[in-house]
């Protein structure tokens, strides 16, 4: 998989509705160039949006209150 992008690899494996990839546990865009031994997982648009909402503290239960 070295030299190919995460998007190329995921398309070849039949992953659908992929917004970004998790490469070695970290979110990367689909243009990320892979190295030998990288572990790649698809992340759907829905999962990515959930992550963004939690990260920005917009999702219910994730709001932060200032004291």
């Amino acid at each position: 998989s070295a030299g190919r992008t995460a998007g190329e690899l995921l398309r070849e494996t039949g992953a659908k509705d992929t917004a970004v990839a998790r490469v070695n546990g970290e979110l990367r865009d689909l243009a990320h160039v892979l190295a030998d031994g990288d572990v790649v997982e698809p992340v759907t648009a829905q999962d990515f949006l959930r992550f963004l909402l939690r990260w920005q503290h917009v999702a219910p239960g994730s709001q932060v209150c200032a004291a």
Side-chain angles (χ1 to χ4, degrees):
S1 60
R4 295 181 1 201
T5 67
E8 291 169 338
L9 178 67
L10 291 172
R11 276 189 296 278
E12 288 173 13
T13 61
K16 300 205 184 291
D17 301 325
T18 304
V20 295
R22 186 174 289 113
V23 179
N24 301 323
E26 296 186 21
L27 292 179
R28 302 285 183 196
D29 65 40
L30 297 176
H32 178 78
V33 178
L34 301 172
D36 279 333
D38 280 348
V39 176
V40 182
E41 303 169 73
V43 178
T44 64
Q46 184 178 18
D47 289 339
F48 185 57
L49 185 56
R50 278 192 207 116
F51 162 78
L52 289 175
L53 292 174
R54 282 191 313 270
W55 181 60
Q56 291 293 322
H57 302 286
V58 178
S62 68
Q63 288 89 10
V64 178
C65 296

